[in-house]
Amino acid sequence: MGKFLKLLRVEQWVKNFFVFTPLFFSGNVTHVDLMLKSIFAFLVFSLTASSIYVLNDYSDIESDKKHPEKCKRPLASGAISKTTAKIIFVLLILSVVLLVFFGGDYFHKNFTKFSIIIASYFFMNIAYTFKLKHVAIIDVCIIALGFVLRVLVGGYATGIVVSQWAILLTFVLALVLAIGKRRGELINAEISGKTRKALDGYNVQFADIALSISVTLAIVCYLMFTLTPEVQEKFGVRVFYTVLFVVFAFLRYLQQTLVYNKTESPTKIVYKDRYIQVTILIWLIAFLLLIYLKK
C-alpha cells in the first residue's frame, strides 16, 4: 500500500488545503454544509493532482532513475510497473469525473465554474508535464497558478467570493515556494554535477533575486489583505497583527533556502520544520480567536 500512496504522492495533498482558504477567511469554519462542500472540493482536487503526479512520474522514468532522490519513486525504482501505473491513472480520472458528475446537484449554480477549474488544472498540468516545465519562468508561474486554482475551487464549491488580494497573495506565495524549489534543484545540480533541461534559464543568483522579490510581494500582499475594509469588518482591526507571524515564517523559509539549502521540496518544511509548524499553528489559532471574538 505504501508504494501506491507514494505514487499518488499523498503527502503532497497538503498543498490542496488551499481549497479551504475561502471558507477559513470568510469566518464560516463552523458552517457544516460549507465545510462538507470544501471537503468534497479537496477530495476532487487531490485525486486530480494525483493523476497528474502519476502521469509526470511515468513520463520522467528515465530521468528520475539518474536523480539521487527521485530514483526511489515507485515507477523509477520498478516497485510499480508501467501497466499498473496506467490503470491507476485511468481509475483516478474516472473517479474525478464521477465525483464531479454526481456532485453537480450539490453545487447548483457554481457547478459549471467548479468543473471548468478542475479541467483547467488538469490540462494545464498536462501541458506542464510534457512541455512547459522546461520553459524557465513560465514553469514556476504555472505552479503558482495551480495554487490560485485551488483557492478558486474552494470559492466556487462554497459560493464564497474570493477577493483580488487573496488571489494575488496566493499566487506570489506559491511563486516563493516554486522558486525556492528550483533553487534547491540548482544547488543539488552543482553538487552532483548533473543538470536537467528544466533548470535551463536559471542560476542561483537569479533564483535568489527572484525569491527575494517574491517574498517581499507576498508580505506586502498579506499586509494589504489585512487592511482591506471587508477583512477588518470580519475579523476586527487586530487582524493586522497576524502580519508578524507571516513575516517570521517567510524569514525562516529564507533561512532554510539561502543558508541551509533545504528547500528542494517545500512541502518537507511543513512536515519537518518545527519553527514554521508552530508559527502556522499560532497563526491559525489567532484567526480562530478573531473569528469567535468578533462573533
Side-chain angles (χ1 to χ4, degrees):
M1 179 61 68
K3 63 184 179 181
F4 291 107
L5 293 178
K6 192 173 182 180
L7 177 66
L8 300 181
R9 296 196 207 176
V10 174
E11 76 280 359
Q12 297 289 338
W13 285 13
V14 67
K15 300 175 182 177
N16 301 328
F17 278 104
F18 274 80
V19 168
F20 293 95
T21 53
L23 178 66
F24 183 79
F25 283 111
S26 69
N28 290 305
V29 290
T30 57
H31 195 293
V32 177
D33 183 59
L34 294 181
M35 177 59 75
L36 289 175
K37 288 180 178 180
S38 293
I39 292 173
F40 180 87
F42 172 82
L43 178 61
V44 172
F45 208 100
S46 295
L47 292 175
T48 305
S50 287
S51 70
I52 295 297
Y53 290 138
V54 173
L55 184 64
N56 181 74
D57 285 1
Y58 187 90
S59 65
D60 288 346
I61 291 177
E62 296 305 318
S63 61
D64 285 350
K65 288 180 179 179
K66 302 174 183 177
H67 193 277
E69 290 188 12
K70 294 180 181 179
C71 63
K72 300 175 184 177
R73 289 177 175 175
L75 281 172
S77 65
I80 294 179
S81 67
K82 292 182 179 180
T83 301
T84 302
K86 291 178 182 178
I87 294 173
I88 293 174
F89 175 77
V90 172
L91 289 176
L92 287 170
I93 298 301
L94 288 175
S95 298
V96 170
V97 171
L98 290 174
L99 283 172
V100 171
F101 179 78
F102 288 109
D105 294 334
Y106 197 38
F107 294 118
H108 302 297
K109 64 180 180 180
N110 289 325
F111 169 70
T112 301
K113 294 179 180 178
F114 179 86
S115 303
I116 289 174
I117 294 295
I118 294 295
S120 297
Y121 177 82
F122 179 75
F123 290 111
M124 180 182 73
N125 277 278
I126 287 181
Y128 175 85
T129 297
F130 292 105
K131 181 66 178 180
L132 298 181
K133 69 179 178 181
H134 302 304
V135 183
I137 299 179
I138 290 179
D139 61 334
V140 292
C141 287
I142 286 179
I143 293 173
L145 184 58
F147 281 84
V148 173
L149 294 181
R150 287 171 170 89
V151 174
L152 291 177
V153 158
Y156 289 135
T158 56
I160 296 170
V161 178
V162 181
S163 72
Q164 294 177 333
W165 280 115
I167 292 174
L168 186 57
L169 173 60
T170 301
F171 182 82
V172 292
L173 172 60
L175 201 59
V176 168
L177 300 179
I179 294 172
K181 185 175 186 293
R182 284 290 179 265
R183 187 186 184 280
E185 292 172 344
L186 286 166
I187 296 297
N188 283 345
E190 289 182 353
I191 295 174
S192 65
K194 297 179 181 179
T195 187
R196 57 195 184 93
K197 191 175 180 181
L199 298 179
D200 290 347
Y202 291 102
N203 59 34
V204 176
Q205 182 182 11
F206 172 77
D208 288 346
I209 295 173
L211 191 61
S212 299
I213 293 173
S214 299
V215 167
T216 302
L217 284 173
I219 293 175
V220 170
C221 287
Y222 185 82
L223 175 62
M224 297 304 296
F225 173 78
T226 61
L227 292 175
T228 54
E230 57 268 28
V231 171
Q232 294 209 343
E233 183 180 351
K234 288 177 182 176
F235 303 109
V237 294
R238 286 174 293 184
V239 69
F240 168 79
Y241 296 105
T242 61
V243 174
L244 299 175
F245 305 127
V246 173
V247 171
F248 177 83
F250 275 119
L251 289 177
R252 177 63 177 176
Y253 181 79
L254 286 176
Q255 181 190 47
Q256 293 292 294
T257 304
L258 304 178
V259 180
Y260 302 120
N261 297 318
K262 292 182 178 179
T263 56
E264 182 176 350
S265 178
T267 51
K268 289 182 180 179
I269 291 184
V270 178
Y271 292 116
K272 295 183 178 181
D273 191 278
R274 295 290 180 247
Y275 290 95
I276 291 182
Q277 287 176 354
V278 171
T279 303
I280 292 175
L281 179 61
I282 295 175
W283 177 82
L284 288 170
I285 292 173
F287 259 98
L288 288 173
L289 289 174
L290 288 170
I291 291 171
Y292 287 112
L293 288 176
K294 182 65 178 177
K295 290 183 178 180

